[in-house]
Amino acid sequence: MPATVTAGSPATAPAAPTPEQTYEVVDAFLKEQLDDMGLPGAAVVVVKDGVQVHSAAFGRADDTGRPMTPQTPVLLASTTKPLTAMAVMQQVEAGRLRLDEPVRTYLPWFTLQDSRSAEITVRHLLHQTSGMAAKDTAFEASDSQDPDAIEEGVRGLSGSPLAGAPGDAFRYASANFNILGLLVQTVSGQPFADYMRQHVFGPLGMAHSHPTRGAARSDNAAAGYSLWFGSFWRQTDAPAPATGMPSSTMYSSAEDIGHELTAMLDQGRYRGRSLIRPESVDAILKPHVRIDESKEYAMGWFTRPLVESVGPEGPPAEANSLPLLVEHQGEWGNSHTYKAMVPASRLGVALVINANDTSAPSRLKAIDTNILRILHGQPPVPAVVQEDWLQRYSWLVSLILLLAELASLALALAVLLRKPTRKRKRWVPWAVGAAALALDGFALWLCLVYAPARFDTHLAVIVRQFPDVGVSLVAVLALALVWPVPRTVWLLSRIRAATRGSHRSAA
C-alpha cells in the first residue's frame, strides 16, 4: 500500500543519488549501448577534484576475445589535438614559439598555393582559423609510418589552396595541428614522437599512451572495428599515418586521458608537477572563434554551454546561466573517442570505443552526451540520427552503382557479341552506348566531384575510411574509367560494319 501524507506535513523529496549510484547508472547505460548497437568494446573514466573517481571497461579489445580495460590503448583520432596544444604551449612558455608569429618564422620554406599563407600564425593554427580546409589538405588515406612523415606531409601542402583569409573564420582542418606538431619538433630539436613521450606522456604518467601505431600495438592496443553494410561489425584496419600524428593518430587509454584531464582541471599540474602554467591553461581553454550560435573553438577544444545539466522537461535555460563545457570528439574509420571537462565543477570524462559507424556517427556521439546527462542527474535521451540519407546509405548507393555498371557491362557485351542480322534495329547499339556512357559519367561525377565535396575530403579517404563503401567504389571506378573507351570503339566498329553490310545488300 502506498504511504499516505498527512495534510499539512511536508512531502519527503526523493534522496539525491550518491556518486557511486550515479556511476552504476553510467556503467549500466554503457553496457546497454554495447548490447543494443553490437559495439565490441568501450572504457570510461571519470575524474573529479583532481582524483580518478570511477573507471570501467566492457566488451572485447579484438577478435581473440581479449577484454577491454581502462588501460587499453585506442586510436584517438581528433582527441589527439588537445595533447598537441599542450606541447605547443610548453614551447611558448620556453620562449621558442610565439603565438602571433608567422609559421614561416620557424619554417621558412612553408607555403601553400596562395600568397596569403605567409600570414598564417601559430595562433591561427591553434584556433583553426588558418584558412585551410579539410578537403584540400586531407591525408587520412596515407598509411606511411615513416619517421619523416610529419614534415613530408606539411611540405606536401604546398599545392593546397586556401579556402579563406587567415584569421577570417573557423575552418576545421587537421592539417593545422600537423603543422603545429612540426613546429614543436623544429624548435625543440627533438622528433615529435620523442617529445611527446618525454614532455607530455611521461610527466602525466600516461604509460599506455603512444605517438606511433607500432608502439601502441606493442602495448596491446585495441583493434578497430567498422560497421559493414549497416549490419555487422568487422575488425578493420583503417590507415593511421604518422603524417597525422599531431592531429589524429596518437593512441591513449581512458585512464591516461583521465590523467590529462586532471592536469588541465588542476591548472596544468599533475601530482605536484607543473606541465604548463595556469595562464597557458587559461589560454588553451578560452573560447576564441565562434562556430555557430552555441559552439566556439578554443585551442584544440570545442566549447559550449553544458545543456546536459538541465532536463528536457524544464524551461529552456539561458546559455549564459549554464556551466561551460570543454570537449572534443575523435572520429576515425574504426574508433570513437571523447574527452570533456566542466572547469566550474572540476569534472572530467574520458570515453574510448574501439569502433565507429561512419554511416551514422551521431549514434556514438549520443553516448558521449548521455553520459554527461547521467553524471548531472538527468536521464539519457534516445539517439537522433543526424546524418543525411546519402551518408547513412552510402554503402547501398555504391553497391547499386556497382550492380548498374555490371548490368551495363553485360548488356554491352550481349549487343557486341550478338551475330548481326538484317532485322536488327540499328538504333539499339547507339542507345546501349549512350546509356552506358551516361551511367559512367554519373558514376564519375558522384565519386570524383559530389561525394568528396559532400564529405569534405578526398575520394581516397572515403575509400580507406569507409571500407564497406570503398569495396564497391573501387570496382565502379575501374569499370567507369577503363571500359568506356574500348566499348565505344567496339560499338562504333560494329555499327560501321553493319552499315557497310546493309549497303552491299541494297546494291
Side-chain angles (χ1 to χ4, degrees):
M1 237 181 119
T4 59
V5 179
T6 306
S9 64
T12 302
T18 64
E20 289 71 21
Q21 291 171 329
T22 298
Y23 303 143
E24 288 175 3
V25 176
V26 167
D27 292 352
F29 169 77
L30 192 51
K31 285 190 287 187
E32 178 185 283
Q33 294 303 300
L34 262 65
D35 292 341
D36 290 350
M37 296 175 62
L39 295 167
V44 63
V45 162
V46 181
V47 298
K48 184 80 166 66
D49 296 326
V51 178
Q52 177 181 296
V53 293
H54 179 67
S55 69
F58 311 97
R60 68 187 189 279
D62 56 31
D63 279 349
T64 68
R66 176 167 56 93
M68 192 78 166
T69 73
Q71 297 81 33
T72 304
V74 172
L75 177 66
L76 287 175
S78 284
T79 54
T80 295
K81 292 178 176 67
L83 291 163
T84 297
M86 188 181 293
V88 170
M89 293 308 293
Q90 287 178 337
Q91 291 305 303
V92 170
E93 291 178 2
R96 300 189 184 99
L97 284 176
R98 294 183 180 179
L99 292 177
D100 295 310
E101 198 73 22
V103 173
R104 284 191 183 176
T105 300
Y106 311 103
L107 303 174
W109 49 262
F110 173 74
T111 188
L112 302 175
Q113 198 179 43
D114 192 310
S115 60
R116 294 175 295 179
S117 61
E119 304 168 17
I120 298 174
T121 67
V122 177
R123 192 185 298 273
H124 290 149
L125 299 174
L126 283 164
H127 288 142
Q128 302 272 12
T129 58
S130 67
M132 290 188 290
K135 65 182 178 64
D136 300 318
T137 56
F139 62 90
E140 293 88 348
S142 167
D143 206 18
S144 172
Q145 299 298 311
D146 192 294
D148 297 325
I150 299 175
E151 180 172 342
E152 291 172 359
V154 175
R155 287 184 180 275
L157 296 173
S158 60
S160 302
L162 276 180
D168 182 48
F170 174 85
R171 290 180 178 86
Y172 190 88
S174 289
N176 286 310
F177 276 75
N178 293 338
I179 298 169
L180 288 169
L182 183 58
L183 288 176
V184 170
Q185 174 173 292
T186 301
V187 301
S188 69
Q190 191 173 14
F192 182 74
D194 293 344
Y195 182 93
M196 294 302 296
R197 291 188 188 100
Q198 182 177 343
H199 299 284
V200 178
F201 297 154
L204 286 174
M206 298 174 71
H208 299 288
S209 297
H210 307 282
T212 65
R213 183 175 65 185
R217 287 181 172 176
S218 297
D219 191 26
N220 295 314
Y225 288 74
S226 299
L227 185 65
W228 286 67
F229 309 117
S231 57
F232 63 91
W233 294 97
R234 183 172 182 271
Q235 186 172 310
T236 307
D237 273 336
T243 306
M245 189 189 303
S247 69
S248 314
T249 60
M250 288 198 280
Y251 292 73
S252 190
S253 66
E255 185 172 272
D256 281 5
I257 296 172
H259 297 182
E260 173 197 356
L261 301 179
T262 297
M264 292 298 292
L265 289 166
D266 202 17
Q267 291 293 289
R269 297 184 66 83
Y270 183 74
R271 293 182 177 175
R273 179 176 179 178
S274 176
L275 273 85
I276 54 176
R277 299 169 187 160
E279 54 266 33
S280 294
V281 174
D282 293 341
I284 288 175
L285 302 185
K286 182 180 179 180
H288 178 80
V289 56
R290 184 156 294 281
I291 301 170
D292 55 34
E293 291 183 359
S294 63
K295 189 177 293 186
E296 295 180 87
Y297 197 77
M299 293 181 176
W301 292 93
F302 290 92
T303 67
R304 62 177 175 83
L306 181 61
V307 295
E308 291 83 358
S309 62
V310 294
E313 70 285 346
E318 293 291 333
N320 57 12
S321 68
L322 295 174
L324 179 72
L325 176 70
V326 183
E327 64 178 352
H328 212 300
Q329 286 167 324
E331 302 291 333
W332 208 249
N334 59 359
S335 74
H336 171 93
T337 61
Y338 181 64
K339 56 178 67 169
M341 296 181 290
V342 184
S345 60
R346 300 186 67 203
L347 173 73
V349 182
L351 173 69
V352 299
I353 299 174
N354 62 329
N356 195 19
D357 175 7
T358 52
S359 64
S362 56
R363 295 200 301 157
L364 275 73
K365 292 177 181 178
I367 299 176
D368 307 337
T369 55
N370 273 324
I371 288 177
L372 287 175
R373 285 189 176 90
I374 295 169
L375 290 173
H376 289 88
Q378 304 298 329
V381 299
V384 177
V385 176
Q386 299 174 347
E387 290 72 26
D388 63 17
W389 69 271
L390 180 59
Q391 182 167 353
R392 292 177 63 187
Y393 301 106
S394 53
W395 60 270
L396 182 59
V397 172
S398 62
L399 187 59
I400 291 173
L401 203 57
L402 176 58
L403 293 175
E405 282 285 353
L406 291 173
S408 172
L409 172 64
L411 180 60
L413 289 174
V415 170
L416 290 167
L417 297 175
R418 186 183 305 167
K419 185 176 181 180
T421 64
R422 293 183 181 180
K423 296 182 179 180
R424 184 175 176 182
K425 297 179 180 178
R426 295 181 181 178
W427 58 267
V428 171
W430 288 102
V432 170
L437 284 174
L439 175 62
D440 295 333
F442 173 75
L444 292 174
W445 170 81
L446 186 67
C447 295
L448 301 178
V449 179
Y450 182 79
R454 165 66 186 80
F455 295 108
D456 197 28
T457 190
H458 295 167
L459 175 64
V461 175
I462 296 174
V463 169
R464 299 298 301 277
Q465 296 289 338
F466 294 60
D468 54 343
V469 176
V471 292
S472 298
L473 283 189
V474 170
V476 167
L477 285 171
L479 289 170
L481 286 169
V482 176
W483 174 231
V485 172
R487 180 189 62 218
T488 302
V489 172
W490 196 354
L491 275 172
L492 289 174
S493 65
R494 290 298 303 271
I495 291 170
R496 186 177 301 174
T499 302
R500 289 173 180 172
S502 63
H503 287 165
R504 284 197 295 270
S505 298

